[in-house]
Amino acid sequence: MKVLSLFFFLATIIATCQGASHHPNPSFDCLSWRLAVETNNKRGWSVVPQACVSYVGHYMLGRQYRKDVQAVADLAYNFAKAVPLPLDLRPNVWIFDVADTVLSNLPYYAQPDVAFGGTPFNSTKFAIWEQKGISPAVHGILDLYKKLQSLRFKIVFISGRSESLREVTTKNLKNLGFTTWEKLILKQTSDAGTSSQIYKEKKRNELLAQPQRYRIVGNVGDQWSDLVGENVGLRTFKVPNPMYYIS
């Protein structure tokens, strides 16, 4: 019933967005704004401009977002296929962020009072959503995950989610088909107040310092803070996300 309810909810939102103008304010070019966001030229923003709320909604729920994510997944897989097996027996690792890279929060952001990031972030309301553990998979990423496993990559999830969400996150991942992984790294209380970029860099460094002598090959995230700093891997791949910005 939850899946059916989610389907009808998203179908309603899609119909609403399809009926809305892509550019409610013709003087504000939302396509250029999204390009600036995805290229990290636009930084530090807190909400989607009101002129672009329906545009972002239409993009996220339409075909183009799914095509864009699939293009990222295809590029990542093509790169991974060309990576040779390590002669020194060090495990090849592929890192994934979790929120809106593997697990989609789109049903949360599609709610009218959240408006695809057009309203200030409500941490209390978002925490309630996370606790439900019903996030769908980001289109195209589950298939990439399975292909990487077939290539014998070790999968490591590095998430900004709290350690308190380990059980619900584990169940959500496994219910969707993300059945096994090397590590699921979640934020500890000692990481509170640390920026996402510094936190994820620290966790990558800790991963490389472990006795297994991992080699980070690939890294997929929806935020630039997932993909910059030390030891990001041989190649990084960014999944589009114009709904929010995390530094």
Side-chain angles (χ1 to χ4, degrees):
M1 289 300 293
K2 287 182 178 178
V3 174
L4 190 60
S5 298
L6 177 60
F7 172 79
F8 281 114
F9 172 73
L10 291 180
T12 301
I13 296 294
I14 290 172
T16 301
C17 288
Q18 287 177 336
S21 169
H22 287 205
H23 299 278
N25 181 353
S27 67
F28 196 101
D29 192 331
C30 296
L31 180 57
S32 295
W33 176 83
R34 182 168 66 85
L35 176 63
V37 166
E38 296 300 348
T39 55
N40 207 28
N41 291 327
K42 178 71 175 174
R43 305 181 186 183
W45 53 280
S46 58
V47 295
V48 172
Q50 284 301 305
C52 296
V53 167
S54 70
Y55 167 81
V56 170
H58 188 277
Y59 169 73
M60 292 300 299
L61 294 171
R63 287 189 294 269
Q64 192 59 51
Y65 170 69
R66 296 194 295 275
K67 286 182 178 180
D68 291 348
V69 175
Q70 188 61 58
V72 174
D74 291 343
L75 287 168
Y77 178 55
N78 288 336
F79 168 73
K81 287 191 296 183
V83 174
L85 291 174
L87 296 177
D88 57 7
L89 302 181
R90 285 196 294 164
N92 277 343
V93 164
W94 199 285
I95 293 176
F96 285 92
D97 169 53
V98 174
D100 293 304
T101 299
V102 172
L103 299 180
S104 176
N105 291 314
L106 186 52
Y108 170 81
Y109 280 95
Q111 296 176 90
D113 58 342
V114 182
F116 301 101
T119 60
F121 180 69
N122 185 322
S123 59
T124 301
K125 184 172 182 177
F126 186 70
I128 294 172
W129 157 256
E130 286 186 310
Q131 287 285 358
K132 293 178 180 179
I134 57 172
S135 295
V138 174
H139 177 82
I141 300 301
L142 176 58
D143 184 52
L144 172 62
Y145 158 87
K146 291 179 178 178
K147 288 178 176 178
L148 291 173
Q149 285 198 318
S150 72
L151 295 173
R152 293 195 278 179
F153 281 92
K154 301 291 186 182
I155 305 299
V156 173
F157 296 114
I158 302 182
S159 174
R161 284 187 169 201
S162 166
E163 176 64 33
S164 64
L165 291 169
R166 179 170 296 277
E167 183 178 352
V168 69
T169 301
T170 297
K171 184 177 180 180
N172 197 169
L173 286 167
K174 291 190 173 183
N175 283 345
L176 293 172
F178 298 95
T179 53
T180 60
W181 49 81
E182 186 76 358
K183 293 181 182 295
L184 171 58
I185 300 173
L186 301 176
K187 216 166 192 177
Q188 308 298 311
T189 53
S190 59
D191 298 313
T194 305
S195 72
S196 177
Q197 179 179 331
I198 297 301
Y199 158 71
K200 295 204 169 184
E201 181 179 273
K202 175 185 175 184
K203 296 307 176 184
R204 292 192 301 267
N205 290 342
E206 290 175 355
L207 183 68
L208 295 183
Q210 294 182 12
Q212 292 91 334
R213 299 178 63 241
Y214 296 110
R215 176 193 288 106
I216 300 174
V217 175
N219 190 346
V220 182
D222 69 297
Q223 300 290 316
W224 280 100
S225 54
D226 301 327
L227 307 172
V228 296
E230 296 179 355
N231 296 313
V232 294
L234 299 180
R235 279 287 304 272
T236 61
F237 300 89
K238 187 182 183 301
V239 173
N241 183 357
M243 297 187 296
Y244 58 85
Y245 175 90
I246 298 177
S247 61

